[in-house]
Amino acid sequence: MWVGRAVIFRWSVVAVIVFAAMTWGYFIITGNHIKESALPVYGQRNPDSTDHIISNFRLTDQDGKIITEADYKGKIYVADFFFTKCEGICPLMSNQMVRIAEKFKGNTSVLLLSHTVKPEEDSIPVLKEYAKNHNADSSQWYFVTGEKKVINKLARSSYLVGGTEGEESSDFVHTQFFALIDPVKRIRGFYDGTDSAEVNKLIGDIEILLKEE
């Protein structure tokens, strides 16, 4: 009888160990799968099969400082396109950007980048005042200006938020969409910047990228 019980006990232990190993293996496999595919990568792949990435840029921020893609190297950031005198969607968008800034205040891995689409009106002092009115930390949230044609091309060709037609300086890009960019300059999401529920999702997706990082 004792021999029989001992055999049953041994097989019970073996079964528990096998089950634990299978469970551990399942979570390792599925965990890696979730990590790799949690957020999509947007944009048509390049002919060499590399992912679409944000092109290099050179713009000027609210402090008169030159801002380039190098300032965002290895960073997660949210990009939008606005103008300071907009009375429609822009105030809503800027208020949502404030929410993001407050959520990740002090986190040097998360930055914000707001492009004016009316550089002829939004001078550096105007951007500075707008940033001040939104309590923007100039080390986290950059309001940038530059040539209109360059900004339009960035919106359309890099961030994929401004439609596809035209890149001339006379064109006007106005969109409520935020773009989420990962540390290697890939687009990982688009969100309606006037919708708090969409921005809640954006905040959650930033946290996913932080874990991936």
Side-chain angles (χ1 to χ4, degrees):
M1 179 183 292
W2 288 108
V3 173
R5 288 181 178 178
V7 171
I8 292 171
F9 177 76
R10 283 200 300 270
W11 279 110
S12 297
V13 171
V14 171
V16 169
I17 293 172
V18 170
F19 176 78
M22 291 176 65
T23 302
W24 179 79
Y26 171 81
F27 281 111
I28 290 295
I29 294 170
T30 57
N32 286 342
H33 174 72
I34 291 171
K35 182 175 179 181
E36 290 172 0
S37 62
L39 296 179
V41 176
Y42 289 87
Q44 185 174 354
R45 290 178 70 84
N46 298 314
D48 60 358
S49 295
T50 56
D51 291 320
H52 172 87
I53 62 172
I54 305 303
S55 61
N56 295 346
F57 56 85
R58 183 180 176 85
L59 302 167
T60 305
D61 76 357
Q62 68 267 33
D63 292 325
K65 185 176 70 174
I66 298 298
I67 299 296
T68 73
E69 72 287 343
D71 294 286
Y72 290 84
K73 184 177 181 180
K75 306 291 185 181
I76 298 164
Y77 72 97
V78 180
D80 75 336
F81 294 81
F82 81 112
F83 61 101
T84 61
K85 292 183 180 179
C86 169
E87 297 180 353
I89 62 175
C90 297
L92 298 174
M93 293 165 59
S94 294
N95 288 339
Q96 293 298 328
M97 289 288 267
V98 168
R99 287 184 58 210
I100 300 168
E102 290 177 347
K103 175 66 178 179
F104 297 100
K105 184 176 181 179
N107 190 327
T108 58
S109 293
V110 181
L111 301 177
L112 308 178
L113 181 59
S114 293
H115 308 73
T116 177
V117 296
K118 286 195 173 182
E120 68 277 12
E121 296 179 3
D122 291 337
S123 63
I124 291 172
V126 169
L127 291 178
K128 180 78 170 179
E129 183 65 19
Y130 192 86
K132 180 180 177 182
N133 290 339
H134 288 82
N135 298 314
D137 180 348
S138 60
S139 67
Q140 178 193 32
W141 188 357
Y142 300 92
F143 294 81
V144 292
T145 185
E147 291 185 30
K148 193 169 191 175
K149 183 176 181 179
V150 170
I151 292 172
N152 285 350
K153 187 172 183 179
L154 278 170
R156 293 185 169 115
S157 301
S158 274
Y159 293 101
L160 309 179
V161 294
T164 58
E165 297 300 323
E167 296 172 357
E168 296 305 318
S169 60
S170 59
D171 291 337
F172 180 63
V173 172
H174 199 203
T175 175
Q176 77 269 33
F177 288 102
F178 294 169
L180 174 60
I181 313 303
D182 71 13
V184 291
K185 304 197 297 182
R186 300 177 302 179
I187 303 172
R188 304 302 295 275
F190 297 104
Y191 313 83
D192 186 337
T194 67
D195 185 333
S196 59
E198 283 275 297
V199 176
N200 288 343
K201 183 179 186 308
L202 168 56
I203 289 171
D205 287 351
I206 291 174
E207 291 174 340
I208 288 173
L209 288 182
L210 285 170
K211 292 176 182 177
E212 288 184 359
E213 184 184 12

